[in-house]
Amino acid sequence: MRILVTGGAGFIGSHIADELINRGHEVGIIDNMSHGREENINKEARFYKIDIRDRNIPEVFQEFKPEVLCHQAAQIKVPVSVKDPLLDADINIMGTINLLEACRSCGVKKVIYPASAAIFGNPQYLPIDEDHPLNMISGYGISKHTVEHYLKVYESLYGIKYTVLRYSNVYGPRQDSTGEGGVVAIFSEKFCEGQDVEIFGDGEQTRDFVYVADVAAANVMALWGLDNEIYNVCTGTKISVNDLFRLFKELTGKGVQAKYLSPRAGEIIHSYMTYEKIKKHIGWTPKVDIKEGLRRTLEYYQQ
Ligand SMILES: NC(=O)c1ccc[n+]([C@@H]2O[C@H](COP(=O)([O-])OP(=O)(O)OC[C@H]3O[C@@H](n4cnc5c(N)ncnc54)[C@H](O)[C@@H]3O)[C@@H](O)[C@H]2O)c1
């Protein structure tokens, strides 16, 4: 299959591109390199350095002729979306519409799109399932969710199929330590350098950390099914920041200390999601447990 991956020089997009190429697919990558890295770009992919908002984007589609668009490129930082909501909406909403228009004019059959746990705000119950009420508390949450509506509309108007995958906190090699859910990347860097880490609040806040290879596998499975539906991609388990810190100590054997700071205003205390729906529909389950995932991540940061 011919698949165009936006954000393919970034963290998750590059793992998806690698996995698609390993499975024999032809991959094109779109990235403006605002947050991507040259070394993440798979050499066997055709690379287009272009912004998703560029009005010439249909030329890329005409040249590469993708059957599927896997759209990972985004403005991913919640604080940026609060400080500059126009920029966030411009990239995440307008940029996506620009791509959808190119899909329409160039006969793309399907779009795979990642949403985020950021659309739920403070959970009303746990674990969060696909029917959990939405409560966006940042521009980022709004922009990620707005695209879900556009996908539905493009499907009903033009028959372009879609799959929305709502990721929990993704971690693994290549993650930027300033990215969304970047605590694992930050801890990895600090532990490798033997520096103390900072923890906001009492460290008992919990998150659902899913390993990037499992996320890439879900994207690949969405090529063949999961049409016109929304699925959580997560582990269904929660781990506290303190437990994460203890695991890092155990894995590295380093005497790094944690410095506790005041809690961040508005931070969600507990969040984890269930993957029962995607498991039932296509058999996806997370394969890499947290200890193994952290071991692989640390190996990357040690290099
Ligand atoms: N990392 C997480 O935990 C997480 C959780 C939920 C959802 N997501 C979603 O997954 C996707 C990938 O996130 P990531 O963590 O890999 O982020 P990332 O920043 O590592 O990758 C995004 C890539 O998109 C590129 N990009 C940004 N703006 C662009 C533009 N205007 N035109 C072209 N390219 C542009 C960047 O250069 C970067 O390479 C995003 O859509 C994000 O919202 C991530």
Side-chain angles (χ1 to χ4, degrees), residues 225-292:
L226 307 178
D227 288 350
N228 310 328
E229 288 279 350
I230 293 176
Y231 296 92
N232 289 348
V233 173
C234 54
T235 67
T237 52
K238 55 184 190 308
I239 177 164
S240 72
V241 176
N242 284 335
D243 283 341
L244 199 64
F245 177 68
R246 280 190 276 273
L247 270 174
F248 269 98
K249 282 187 103 154
E250 184 190 321
L251 287 164
T252 60
K254 290 194 180 168
V256 166
Q257 298 297 311
K259 187 176 159 203
Y260 289 86
L261 308 176
S262 359
R264 277 189 289 208
E267 186 176 6
I268 291 163
I269 303 299
H270 298 294
S271 175
Y272 75 106
M273 296 156 75
T274 170
Y275 59 86
E276 280 309 309
K277 184 176 172 186
I278 189 168
K279 181 182 170 197
K280 196 168 148 206
H281 285 197
I282 211 163
W284 179 92
T285 57
K287 299 278 185 291
V288 182
D289 70 21
I290 186 81
K291 220 165 168 180
E292 173 60 15

Side-chain angles (χ1 to χ4, degrees), residues 10-12 31-32 34-36 51-52 72-74 115 140 144 168 170:
F11 166 45
I12 301 169
D31 204 297
N32 68 352
S34 57
H35 205 224
D51 197 294
I52 58 168
Q72 305 294 314
Y140 174 73
K144 293 304 288 184
S168 58
V170 190

Side-chain angles (χ1 to χ4, degrees), residues 10-12 15 35 37 39-40 170-194 211-212 248 252 254 293-303:
F11 166 45
I12 301 169
H15 284 275
H35 205 224
R37 293 216 192 103
E39 64 266 27
N40 292 350
V170 190
Y171 75 98
R174 302 180 189 159
Q175 185 174 26
D176 189 293
S177 58
T178 61
E180 181 190 356
V183 59
V184 172
I186 296 168
F187 278 14
S188 299
E189 260 180 32
K190 296 277 185 197
F191 269 87
C192 287
E193 288 162 8
Y211 188 66
V212 67
F248 269 98
T252 60
K254 290 194 180 168
L294 292 183
R295 200 190 53 71
R296 293 189 203 173
T297 308
L298 276 163
E299 215 171 84
Y300 168 82
Y301 283 93
Q302 267 149 11
Q303 285 162 17

Side-chain angles (χ1 to χ4, degrees), residues 6-14 30-37 40 50-54 57 71-77 90-92 95 113-118 140 144 165-171 174-176 179-182 210 212 215:
T6 70
F11 166 45
I12 301 169
S14 66
I30 286 179
D31 204 297
N32 68 352
M33 301 308 280
S34 57
H35 205 224
R37 293 216 192 103
N40 292 350
I50 185 168
D51 197 294
I52 58 168
R53 295 165 291 177
D54 194 312
I57 214 100
H71 175 33
Q72 305 294 314
Q75 185 307 104
I76 64 159
K77 294 176 188 171
D90 196 32
I91 297 172
N92 292 356
Y113 173 77
S116 160
Y140 174 73
K144 293 304 288 184
L165 302 175
R166 288 176 177 164
Y167 308 157
S168 58
N169 289 68
V170 190
Y171 75 98
R174 302 180 189 159
Q175 185 174 26
D176 189 293
E180 181 190 356
V210 61
V212 67
V215 172

Side-chain angles (χ1 to χ4, degrees), residues 62-188:
Q62 275 147 19
E63 193 195 300
F64 187 71
K65 300 186 174 49
E67 295 160 82
V68 174
L69 173 73
C70 182
H71 175 33
Q72 305 294 314
Q75 185 307 104
I76 64 159
K77 294 176 188 171
V78 172
V80 170
S81 79
V82 173
K83 219 171 118 194
D84 194 348
L86 280 174
L87 176 75
D88 179 80
D90 196 32
I91 297 172
N92 292 356
I93 301 176
M94 299 305 281
T96 302
I97 299 172
N98 197 34
L99 290 169
L100 289 176
E101 281 296 284
C103 287
R104 180 165 77 90
S105 62
C106 299
V108 171
K109 296 188 175 61
K110 177 159 186 178
V111 179
I112 301 168
Y113 173 77
S116 160
I119 65 179
F120 301 113
N122 245 318
Q124 292 181 14
Y125 59 83
L126 292 169
I128 297 166
D129 57 21
E130 287 79 357
D131 297 323
H132 187 287
L134 304 182
N135 177 28
M136 279 76 72
I137 52 175
S138 68
Y140 174 73
I142 298 172
S143 66
K144 293 304 288 184
H145 175 59
T146 300
V147 169
E148 297 182 343
H149 291 291
Y150 275 99
L151 290 170
K152 209 164 170 229
V153 167
Y154 273 71
E155 194 278 324
S156 67
L157 289 179
Y158 311 116
I160 301 171
K161 294 186 276 192
Y162 67 87
T163 301
V164 173
L165 302 175
R166 288 176 177 164
Y167 308 157
S168 58
N169 289 68
V170 190
Y171 75 98
R174 302 180 189 159
Q175 185 174 26
D176 189 293
S177 58
T178 61
E180 181 190 356
V183 59
V184 172
I186 296 168
F187 278 14
S188 299

